[in-house]
Amino acid sequence: CRFMDSKMKPLWMVFENPDPKAGDIYLIFKKGDDLRQDMLTLQTIKIMDALWKAAGYDFRMTPYGVVAVDDRMGLIEVVLNSQTIANIQKEKASSALVASFKRGSLYSWIKEHNPTEEALDRAIEEFTMSCVGYCVATYILGVADRHNDNLMIAKNGQLFHIDFGHILGRFKVWIGGKLVP
């Protein structure tokens, strides 16, 4: 893929779906990151979700798709109508310096997108259940590097994780100015 510089931002792609009921397909083409660990982690989360559902537990997991097409590039499915916790906190704070310390940011954001009492109750339930599922899944998988830029929330309240470059004791480190697995 010579047309993309490794410092270039990810490419946002939208594909028209021939089935209008299914909606368009939104993907990010990313070069410069090894997405194989993300792919493995999300496939494992999908299996965990299926096992939990078979046992009668629905933790509202969001195992979006990732396809590594090389060791340094791949495609990531976009989860529409979602935002990182970091962006929500910045949006709700008067200053970026205190954004992560402002109380009520997430609740306020969820309430904005779920204005009725019934919708808000549903969104809080989605948030709570998905939080439980991801706490268990990320603990079992040894997922590290969790911070507000790697946690997202959909407008319906579902919490989900992104960026799984650090799992099962395999962490990237900086050596000589390069990020090395």
Side-chain angles (χ1 to χ4, degrees):
C1 199
R2 286 184 219 144
F3 64 91
M4 287 194 69
D5 177 330
S6 64
K7 295 176 185 169
M8 190 174 199
K9 289 183 179 181
L11 179 65
W12 178 275
M13 303 185 313
V14 181
F15 294 93
E16 271 186 38
N17 194 329
D19 179 3
K21 293 177 187 171
D24 292 339
I25 300 164
Y26 294 80
L27 299 172
I28 295 172
F29 177 80
K30 200 168 183 185
K31 183 177 179 196
D33 280 344
D34 187 350
L35 297 176
R36 293 176 295 179
Q37 284 186 190
D38 292 64
M39 196 167 81
L40 172 66
T41 303
L42 288 159
Q43 288 171 349
T44 305
I45 288 172
K46 195 172 197 171
I47 292 167
M48 293 169 116
D49 186 40
L51 291 171
W52 287 331
K53 284 179 178 171
Y57 301 102
D58 183 0
F59 293 117
R60 316 310 201 282
M61 305 300 281
T62 309
Y64 56 92
V66 172
V67 177
V69 296
D70 195 316
D71 67 342
R72 304 292 290 156
M73 72 176 79
L75 297 164
I76 304 168
E77 178 185 3
V78 174
V79 179
L80 296 175
N81 300 310
S82 61
Q83 194 70 247
T84 66
I85 290 178
N87 284 344
I88 292 168
Q89 289 172 325
K90 287 175 197 165
E91 176 187 308
K92 298 292 177 189
S94 55
S95 163
L97 294 173
V98 297
S100 61
F101 300 106
K102 181 154 171 53
R103 290 187 65 179
S105 300
L106 296 178
Y107 179 75
S108 172
W109 188 84
I110 290 171
K111 192 173 180 177
E112 276 177 29
H113 298 288
N114 298 276
T116 67
E117 190 174 334
E118 184 181 327
L120 181 59
D121 288 346
R122 249 190 339 267
I124 291 170
E125 173 78 6
E126 293 291 321
F127 179 83
T128 304
M129 296 305 289
S130 59
C131 194
V132 168
Y134 277 99
C135 282
V136 172
T138 56
Y139 178 77
I140 290 170
L141 295 171
V143 177
D145 191 33
R146 299 297 84 197
H147 51 78
N148 292 347
D149 281 316
N150 287 344
L151 300 171
M152 296 189 74
I153 299 179
K155 288 181 180 178
N156 71 351
Q158 283 181 307
L159 174 118
F160 62 100
H161 289 239
I162 61 171
D163 190 1
F164 299 101
H166 303 267
I167 62 164
L168 300 172
R170 183 183 165 118
F171 308 116
K172 297 175 192 168
V173 293
W174 287 96
I175 299 175
K178 281 183 80 174
L179 194 58
V180 181

